[in-house]
Amino acid sequence: MAHLSDLVNLNLSDSSEKIIAEYIWIGGSGMDVRSKARTLAGPVDDPSKLPKWNYDGSSTGQAPGEDSEVILYPQAIFKDPFRRGNNILVICDCYTPAGEPIPTNKRHNAAKIFSNPNVVVEEPWYGLEQEYTLLQKEINWPLGWPIGGFPGPQGPYYCGIGCGKAFGRDIVDAHYKACIYAGINISGINGEVMPGQWEFQVGPSVGIASGDELWAARYILERITEIAGVVVSFDPKPIPGDWNGAGAHTNYSTKSMRNEGGYEVIKKAIEKLGLRHKEHIAAYGEGNERRLTGRHETADINTFKWGVANRGASIRVGRDTEKEGKGYFEDRRPASNMDPYVVTSMIAETTILWNP
């Protein structure tokens, strides 16, 4: 008699050429990831060869009940680490039946910016540092924290090991390996300053691919925590008080910055970012004012400053970049719940296309 786990792990390629495609999209809140599956006749490796699909937008806060159909356009394919075999995960964006992007479709505008010839020639690279907090399901309290109480002060937890310092490593490592399996350019993980908080990094990725990969990685993390019976939070300040918040530091460079003389290009780009500080902050995530206080390795939300190796700045330039006269910089302002399509394209637009 087969067990449930035997059936879940069935290898479809043993008996059929058919595959399962999990279509993934972003719901009405801008952070709720949704998905549903369909059967395809055989393997597909090009999103343009996948059929469009639809869903009930009135159930996701994206359309009225009297005209609820929203169309899914496949945009990126990843291998499915849950079903494995030839099965795939499909990152989609959302349109009306008339072909207009719906208001919550942030990918559409990002794709336009990244397809601008002046942006294409600069080959913008991104490295996205996604911080998140694991919570106990019934009480929404960080994993490893005593119920109704607090752990010891911050200090031993950042990159810490041991049962009193690291909580949820099995989830983190499962996610790491699943992302590599999926074909996501995940470049590392580490425990963060607050216990129960972790980080993974995606990149370097070019242009729109950085957003596709981060959303796919978030989807995989949500699925793994579902299996583990743990809640993942992307709130930028999940615990008030003397605890670090959660950000999504965005590392960025263009071809001009990576070439000889790039440090001058970097300084000019940072100057532009400073001139549009308020616009960027407004687009960098909900609740970020609770995190950007000027404490806990952040700059105050109303202040723009940059520095070399300064983790209390809005923009940090690495020592190696200063020494070599070329490289990249880190925008430390984005919150953990930021939309990577918005943040990456806005940085490119401001530093490459915008003329003050």
Side-chain angles (χ1 to χ4, degrees):
M1 187 69 171
H3 294 286
L4 183 60
S5 60
D6 297 328
L7 299 173
V8 168
N9 293 316
L10 275 176
N11 186 350
L12 298 182
S13 60
D14 288 345
S15 59
S16 175
E17 292 184 1
K18 293 179 179 179
I19 69 159
I20 300 171
E22 190 79 25
Y23 279 44
I24 301 163
W25 71 95
I26 302 156
S29 75
M31 272 305 291
D32 56 317
V33 181
R34 311 282 181 131
S35 75
K36 61 177 185 172
R38 68 182 298 166
T39 306
L40 300 176
V44 181
D45 58 9
D46 181 350
S48 68
K49 295 179 181 177
L50 288 167
K52 294 173 184 175
W53 206 7
N54 65 76
Y55 67 92
D56 171 17
S58 69
S59 295
T60 62
Q62 293 171 295
E66 64 273 12
D67 186 15
S68 65
E69 192 168 282
V70 179
I71 312 302
L72 293 169
Y73 286 32
Q75 300 291 0
I77 292 175
F78 298 93
K79 292 171 65 179
D80 186 338
F82 303 101
R83 297 187 177 106
R84 288 168 285 187
N86 292 321
N87 304 300
I88 54 175
L89 306 177
V90 183
I91 297 294
C92 304
D93 59 354
C94 306
Y95 296 80
T96 67
E100 295 295 320
I102 66 173
T104 53
N105 179 354
K106 306 304 183 185
R107 190 187 190 280
H108 178 78
N109 185 63
K112 287 202 299 186
I113 291 170
F114 285 123
S115 62
N116 183 296
N118 292 329
V119 177
V120 172
V121 75
E122 283 289 353
E123 292 181 20
W125 290 3
Y126 297 91
L128 305 178
E129 304 176 26
Q130 176 68 71
E131 294 179 341
Y132 60 94
T133 309
L134 297 175
L135 305 176
Q136 302 169 60
K137 183 173 65 173
E138 283 77 16
I139 57 174
N140 272 0
W141 198 238
L143 204 64
W145 289 36
I147 295 174
F150 296 86
Q154 296 183 152
Y157 310 109
Y158 172 70
C159 298
I161 61 169
C163 67
K165 306 182 193 74
F167 310 104
R169 190 184 295 276
D170 53 346
I171 293 170
V172 175
D173 205 46
H175 175 250
Y176 194 2
K177 292 176 179 177
C179 284
I180 292 174
Y181 178 92
I184 294 167
N185 192 22
I186 187 169
S187 48
I189 57 164
N190 60 268
E192 268 302 331
V193 178
M194 188 182 85
Q197 192 180 79
W198 294 82
E199 174 184 299
F200 66 88
Q201 303 93 31
V202 168
S205 304
V206 180
I208 197 73
S210 59
D212 290 338
E213 292 187 1
L214 189 66
W215 276 114
R218 283 175 172 176
Y219 170 83
I220 291 171
L221 180 58
E222 292 261 22
R223 286 284 307 276
I224 289 172
T225 54
E226 173 190 322
I227 294 166
V230 170
V231 174
V232 59
S233 170
F234 295 104
D235 189 285
K237 188 73 172 180
I239 305 296
D242 196 20
W243 304 98
N244 272 39
H249 301 155
T250 300
N251 299 276
Y252 171 69
S253 71
T254 63
K255 183 181 283 188
S256 298
M257 295 174 190
R258 298 187 294 270
N259 289 340
E260 295 301 322
Y263 195 40
E264 291 304 311
V265 181
I266 287 172
K267 288 193 285 187
K268 288 175 182 176
I270 293 172
E271 183 180 352
K272 281 184 168 185
L273 289 169
L275 294 173
R276 294 191 74 196
H277 177 63
K278 287 185 178 179
E279 293 94 325
H280 279 255
I281 286 294
Y284 273 15
E286 294 292 325
N288 212 8
E289 71 283 351
R290 294 182 282 116
R291 167 181 163 260
L292 297 180
T293 62
R295 300 181 62 216
H296 305 111
E297 301 181 67
T298 69
D300 180 83
I301 194 167
N302 296 310
T303 303
F304 181 88
K305 61 180 181 178
W306 73 278
V308 176
N310 183 358
R311 282 180 162 77
S314 313
I315 305 289
R316 180 185 68 86
V317 174
R319 291 264 181 228
D320 286 347
T321 294
E322 181 189 43
K323 181 180 178 181
E324 295 174 13
K326 59 183 178 180
Y328 71 97
F329 64 83
E330 174 192 50
D331 191 339
R332 297 179 60 80
R333 297 171 295 172
S336 51
N337 59 5
M338 64 82 160
D339 187 323
Y341 295 134
V342 173
V343 169
T344 57
S345 62
M346 194 174 193
I347 291 173
E349 182 183 39
T350 296
T351 59
I352 300 171
L353 301 179
W354 184 62
N355 291 310

